[in-house]
Amino acid sequence: MFRIGQSSDIHQLIQGRKLILGGVEIDHERGLLGHSDADALLHAIAESILGALALGDLGKHFPDTAKEYKDMNSLWMLQEVYKMMDKQGYKINNLDALIMIERPKMAPHIAKMRENVAAALHCDIDQVSIKATRGEKMGFVGREEGVLAQCIVLLIKK
């Protein structure tokens, strides 16, 4: 049996925060605003898995009002979502994710992001696709106001 899920996550770029995407800290003058480490890519991936399992959204499991999740490492959160998926008897067939960010360039970081996601989800790296695109100076991405990440995932029964 297959299950499919999809999600998008948006975070504002601001001064005074680290830019963390895919579990990789990226050198940049601004970072993402959020209760946790604000890793939009990992949030989109985790929530797409929750959606495929009909378990609701990230806020249901990791509320931004809970002090224990303040500045939380999103790789930990993704590992917790993996446990939920595993408990229901599913595994990753494949996932395809997209980061929309004007700059910095993501290409130098994609391989490490894929490694991090594959490790957290106990799957092969060839089951994890991560791509990036720019806003071409249009919209909130193009104006460098924020980052949008999207993911679609296909789960398969073990």
Side-chain angles (χ1 to χ4, degrees), residues 26-115:
I26 299 166
D27 187 36
H28 193 55
E29 66 269 12
R30 291 184 289 160
L32 297 173
L33 177 63
H35 186 69
S36 67
D37 64 7
D39 189 326
L41 176 61
L42 294 185
H43 294 179
I45 292 169
E47 194 166 80
S48 68
I49 295 167
L50 291 173
L53 298 170
L55 293 177
D57 62 20
L58 281 179
K60 176 180 176 182
H61 300 277
F62 309 98
D64 65 5
T65 55
K67 290 179 184 174
E68 64 265 31
Y69 301 127
K70 178 74 175 139
D71 297 321
M72 172 186 65
N73 181 324
S74 293
L75 277 171
W76 173 84
M77 177 204 58
L78 186 59
Q79 291 164 347
E80 292 299 304
V81 170
Y82 166 79
K83 292 175 189 175
M84 294 176 210
M85 176 180 69
D86 186 55
K87 184 177 178 181
Q88 288 205 13
Y90 283 89
K91 64 181 182 176
I92 299 291
N93 186 76
N94 70 297
L95 69 84
D96 186 24
L98 175 67
I99 307 163
M100 290 179 240
I101 186 169
E102 191 68 17
R103 56 180 198 91
K105 291 208 175 281
M106 293 292 108
H109 311 289
I110 297 283
K112 182 61 179 166
M113 292 176 187
R114 291 179 68 213
E115 286 176 25

Side-chain angles (χ1 to χ4, degrees), residues 97-153:
L98 175 67
I99 307 163
M100 290 179 240
I101 186 169
E102 191 68 17
R103 56 180 198 91
K105 291 208 175 281
M106 293 292 108
H109 311 289
I110 297 283
K112 182 61 179 166
M113 292 176 187
R114 291 179 68 213
E115 286 176 25
N116 289 344
V117 171
L121 296 176
H122 303 265
C123 66
D124 293 330
I125 197 164
D126 66 353
Q127 294 170 281
V128 176
S129 170
I130 299 174
K131 308 173 301 290
T133 192
R134 297 176 45 227
E136 300 295 335
K137 308 275 185 224
M138 296 181 292
F140 74 89
V141 171
R143 290 188 301 269
E144 299 184 46
E145 296 170 0
V147 171
L148 169 63
Q150 297 178 322
C151 181
I152 187 164
V153 65

